[in-house]
Amino acid sequence: MKWDLKRWRWVAVVVVILTIAATIYVTSYSRREITGVEALLRDFVAPVARGLTQAAQSIENFFGNLAEVSQLAAANRQLEEEIRQLEMQLAVSAGYERQVMILRRALSFRDNHRYEILAAEVVGQEPVNWHNFALINRGMKDGVRPGMAVVAPEGVVGQVRNVTARTAEVMLMLDSRSSIGGRLVDNGELVLVTGQSSQPESPVVRSLVRDSQLQEGDQVVTSGNSRIFPGGLLLGTVVDVTADPYGDNKTGVLEPGVDFSRLDVVFVLLSTDEGDEEEIEH
């Protein structure tokens, strides 16, 4: 009777099982000497056992590392969430601080001037022609109308040109179309302050009287003769004066009181002691 491959496999399995069972039996109690078969089995099994032990340790380390990575990932997510919450708190805090700053500036301005004012934030300026217009976050629903004066604590900003429900476009005093009546603080001499397209950051001061005393260092304020701007608001300081070779008038360059490159908070004059009219100067 021929033995096929399957039968040989079963025989091998039975032999291995019997060998393992015998090994367990003979090693189940402590003895000083071992048999030759046991020695051979021990020498044969030792490398295998060492390999299995190392594999088990590697598997244990692998799953331990996985657990640590999972814990680290969870901790990282928690830290990221805490950072986001802190950033939100800082943003809210910064918003509160800005609102407080606006209110303080508004109260300070109102205490120094008897006007009904509306505080507004500058929310946009043309990146190239920033000296022409500024967009503020107040409009018709806030009582803003074309022609109203717009100022800052440092001085005159410009006047409202057009409005929407929630925004208004302010033509700055630097614009070449702007023209504001002023006077010199020292002697009350009347001047006219106009924007110029060639040097938009430096408006022109033109004397309106003969034998003008206009000179460098003169402070210029609004004259009060305007239907837009009440008197006494700072326009700027004269930094350069040129005499007219064909007449007695003088022309100067004005350094505005307001830093228009950093314009952020302004005040719309809703009404003044001198009346509130909606005529736009040209």
Side-chain angles (χ1 to χ4, degrees):
M1 182 176 179
K2 296 182 179 179
W3 289 63
D4 57 14
L5 183 60
K6 290 184 179 180
R7 290 182 179 181
W8 279 113
R9 288 179 181 174
W10 280 110
V11 171
V13 170
V14 172
V15 171
V16 170
I17 293 174
L18 291 175
T19 302
I20 293 173
T23 302
I24 294 174
Y25 172 76
V26 298
T27 58
S28 61
Y29 57 92
S30 176
R31 291 173 294 121
R32 292 185 178 180
E33 297 181 357
I34 60 175
T35 65
V37 174
E38 290 177 335
L40 291 174
L41 285 174
R42 183 177 296 178
D43 291 340
F44 174 77
V45 171
V48 177
R50 183 170 62 253
L52 291 175
T53 301
Q54 293 176 349
Q57 290 177 347
S58 299
I59 293 173
E60 183 179 356
N61 293 335
F62 173 77
F63 284 104
N65 291 334
L66 282 182
E68 291 180 1
V69 169
S70 178
Q71 293 174 357
L72 289 174
N76 187 49
R77 287 193 296 270
Q78 183 177 357
L79 287 175
E80 289 178 350
E81 180 62 26
E82 291 177 357
I83 290 173
R84 282 194 292 269
Q85 292 179 0
L86 288 174
E87 289 176 344
M88 291 177 61
Q89 292 176 5
L90 288 174
V92 171
S93 177
Y96 284 143
E97 290 179 0
R98 181 168 179 80
Q99 292 301 320
V100 170
M101 179 269 293
I102 293 173
L103 289 174
R104 285 177 177 173
R105 293 178 69 175
L107 289 173
S108 176
F109 187 86
R110 188 178 64 182
D111 289 342
N112 295 326
H113 304 83
R114 292 186 297 175
Y115 309 134
E116 182 183 350
I117 65 172
L118 176 67
E121 292 186 77
V122 175
V123 295
Q125 284 183 276
E126 295 184 17
V128 178
N129 299 322
W130 57 266
H131 48 268
N132 290 339
F133 294 97
L135 187 68
I136 61 175
N137 64 343
R138 299 290 190 176
M140 288 184 293
K141 291 189 175 182
D142 304 296
V144 180
R145 300 290 182 270
M148 288 183 170
V150 180
V151 299
E154 299 79 18
V156 172
V157 172
Q159 58 181 290
V160 177
R161 293 288 291 184
N162 56 68
V163 296
T164 65
R166 293 296 184 187
T167 66
E169 189 178 67
V170 179
M171 183 180 73
L172 306 181
M173 63 172 286
L174 303 178
D175 192 281
S176 59
R177 292 165 291 181
S178 173
S179 179
I180 303 174
R183 62 178 176 84
L184 304 183
V185 172
D186 288 343
N187 55 27
E189 179 180 320
L190 295 178
V191 296
L192 185 66
V193 177
T194 59
Q196 56 175 337
S197 57
S198 58
Q199 292 181 305
E201 298 87 355
S202 305
V204 175
V205 183
R206 292 186 174 86
S207 62
L208 300 178
V209 298
R210 288 182 175 275
D211 300 322
S212 172
Q213 301 301 311
L214 181 67
Q215 59 183 354
E216 294 182 16
D218 280 341
Q219 280 198 323
V220 183
V221 297
T222 52
S223 65
N225 298 327
S226 167
R227 293 184 177 184
I228 302 298
F229 298 97
L233 298 174
L234 180 65
L235 289 167
T237 304
V238 178
V239 294
D240 189 22
V241 176
T242 303
D244 184 356
Y246 302 104
D248 298 324
N249 293 337
K250 291 182 178 180
T251 301
V253 175
L254 187 76
E255 180 180 329
V258 174
D259 185 353
F260 289 93
S261 65
R262 297 183 178 180
L263 199 60
D264 57 353
V265 178
V266 298
F267 305 109
V268 181
L269 302 189
L270 300 178
S271 65
T272 70
D273 292 340
E274 303 172 18
D276 179 21
E277 302 187 37
E278 297 184 358
E279 180 177 330
I280 298 178
E281 293 189 355
H282 297 281

